[in-house]
């Protein structure tokens, strides 16, 4: 069972990805638990303030350390967390290997930044791991956190009906996935490769592997090890 606690100033932004599909099934079957925490509930400031201007000047508000620390302390009193993750564009980019490892853990906190980000002291003192989802900047960490959670939920044993399915996706084995086809076998003279209809398991496996290698060389040569 993987439990994830998400801390955010806009928790409503992140709920819908968990309301359907594989992720919902993982939650319904109790393979995966997810909780949302509104940072404003942990603010002791007037009007539930959670952000303030930057010291030294510069545009953009910064999330303050105190409400974040209150929330993380509150959670850490109740259970041990394996990682306390901050989603941020200036970090190592998420890859399948990292998702595989995180999916085997029990308790994770994910902190979503907003505006200009969080006070650096949060990153120095409270966070154990930072993750980016790519070299582009979004307005908040909510979508990145949803991306991370989805990639973990589908790996938790039992979440996907056929557990081998997640292992045949792209990036497992450092290869992109082969193309896939379904009925009809002939659509307006566009035919499915005949080997897939042959019933010969070994030939099909070889074909898939060759296609994987071919596509990876063409599209993402850098990931082949
Ligand atoms: N000032 C920061 C960007 C802040 S974007 C900088 O220049 O690096 C606001 C918030 O959105 C961040 O705190 C982070 O939580 C989230 N975010 C934006 N882009 C992201 C990305 N590519 N990966 C992960 N989180 C991201």
């Amino acid at each position: 069972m993987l439990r994830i606690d998400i801390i955010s100033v806009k928790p409503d932004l992140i709920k819908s990805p968990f309301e359907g599909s594989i992720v919902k099934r993982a939650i319904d079957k109790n393979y995966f638990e997810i909780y949302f925490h509104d940072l404003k509930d942990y603010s002791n400031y007037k009007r539930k303030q959670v952000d303030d201007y930057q010291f030294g000047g510069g545009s953009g508000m910064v999330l303050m350390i105190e409400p974040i620390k209150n929330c993380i302390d509150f959670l850490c009193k109740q259970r041990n967390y394996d990682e306390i993750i901050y989603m941020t564009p200036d970090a190592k980019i998420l890859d399948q290997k990292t998702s595989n490892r995180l999916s085997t853990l029990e308790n994770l906190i994910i902190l979503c930044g907003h505006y200009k980000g969080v006070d650096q002291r949060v990153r120095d003192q409270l966070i154990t791991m930072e993750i980016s989802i790519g070299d582009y900047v979004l307005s908040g960490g909510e979508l990145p956190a949803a991306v991370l959670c989805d990639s973990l939920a589908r790996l938790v044993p039992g979440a996907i009906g056929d557990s081998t399915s997640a292992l045949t996706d792209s990036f497992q084995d450092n290869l992109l996935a082969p193309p896939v086809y379904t009925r009809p076998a002939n659509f307006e003279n566009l035919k499915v490769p005949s080997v897939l209809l042959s019933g010969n398991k070994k030939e099909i496996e070889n074909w898939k592997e060759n296609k994987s290698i071919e596509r990876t060389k063409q599209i993402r040569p850098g990931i082949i090890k």
Side-chain angles (χ1 to χ4, degrees):
M1 156 82 94
L2 173 62
R3 174 189 169 114
I4 300 184
D5 290 273
I6 299 184
I7 307 173
S8 153
V9 286
K10 310 256 181 218
D12 287 341
L13 272 185
I14 199 181
K15 290 184 181 160
S16 68
F18 302 99
E19 286 164 5
S21 190
I22 292 169
V23 180
K24 178 167 191 294
R25 194 163 63 206
I27 294 171
D28 290 347
K29 287 189 180 168
N30 294 327
Y31 295 127
F32 182 65
E33 270 184 318
I34 190 144
Y35 296 90
F36 304 96
H37 306 276
D38 189 336
L39 201 53
K40 295 189 275 314
D41 295 340
Y42 296 85
S43 170
N44 298 323
Y45 294 93
K46 268 191 293 180
R47 290 190 295 276
K48 296 184 178 286
Q49 184 186 352
V50 290
D51 58 342
D52 212 334
Y53 295 102
Q54 292 183 47
F55 279 126
S59 61
M61 304 298 273
V62 176
L63 294 181
M64 294 187 285
I65 187 169
E66 195 184 324
I68 296 174
K69 177 148 195 312
N70 289 344
C71 184
I72 290 178
D73 282 353
F74 170 78
L75 292 171
C76 289
K77 272 194 204 117
Q78 298 169 57
R79 66 194 65 76
N80 287 326
Y81 283 90
D82 302 297
E83 297 282 5
I84 302 177
I85 300 168
Y86 174 48
M87 304 309 299
T88 181
D90 55 348
K92 201 170 157 258
I93 295 176
L94 180 64
D95 57 18
Q96 192 63 48
K97 201 170 136 223
T98 305
S99 292
N100 290 350
R101 179 179 79 80
L102 292 175
S103 74
T104 64
L105 301 179
E106 278 173 22
N107 297 305
L108 302 174
I109 290 176
I110 303 179
L111 172 65
C112 306
H114 224 88
Y115 317 114
K116 213 56 190 162
V118 301
D119 188 304
Q120 181 61 36
R121 289 167 292 184
V122 170
R123 303 175 65 172
D124 295 341
Q125 302 296 325
L126 306 178
I127 295 298
T128 62
M129 184 178 185
E130 298 188 328
I131 296 179
S132 166
I133 62 158
D135 287 344
Y136 41 83
V137 177
L138 301 166
S139 29
E142 289 73 19
L143 291 174
V147 167
L148 175 61
C149 290
D150 184 305
S151 85
L152 301 186
R154 63 201 307 289
L155 292 169
V156 174
I160 296 190
D162 173 2
S163 61
T164 55
S165 178
L167 301 177
T168 57
D169 286 328
S170 293
F171 306 111
Q172 303 287 9
D173 297 339
N174 301 311
L175 289 174
L176 300 181
V180 292
Y181 298 86
T182 187
R183 287 194 290 178
N186 184 344
F187 176 73
E188 296 178 354
N189 221 23
L190 298 171
K191 291 183 187 141
V192 169
S194 55
V195 56
L196 295 179
L197 311 173
S198 69
N200 184 328
K201 281 205 169 130
K202 191 147 195 318
E203 265 182 39
I204 293 173
E205 275 319 304
N206 283 340
W207 180 89
K208 286 186 176 176
E209 195 183 332
N210 287 334
K211 281 285 172 195
S212 274
I213 294 170
E214 196 180 293
R215 298 185 77 199
T216 311
K217 280 185 178 158
Q218 255 172 23
I219 305 167
R220 293 290 301 276
I223 66 170
I224 301 182
K225 296 238 164 74

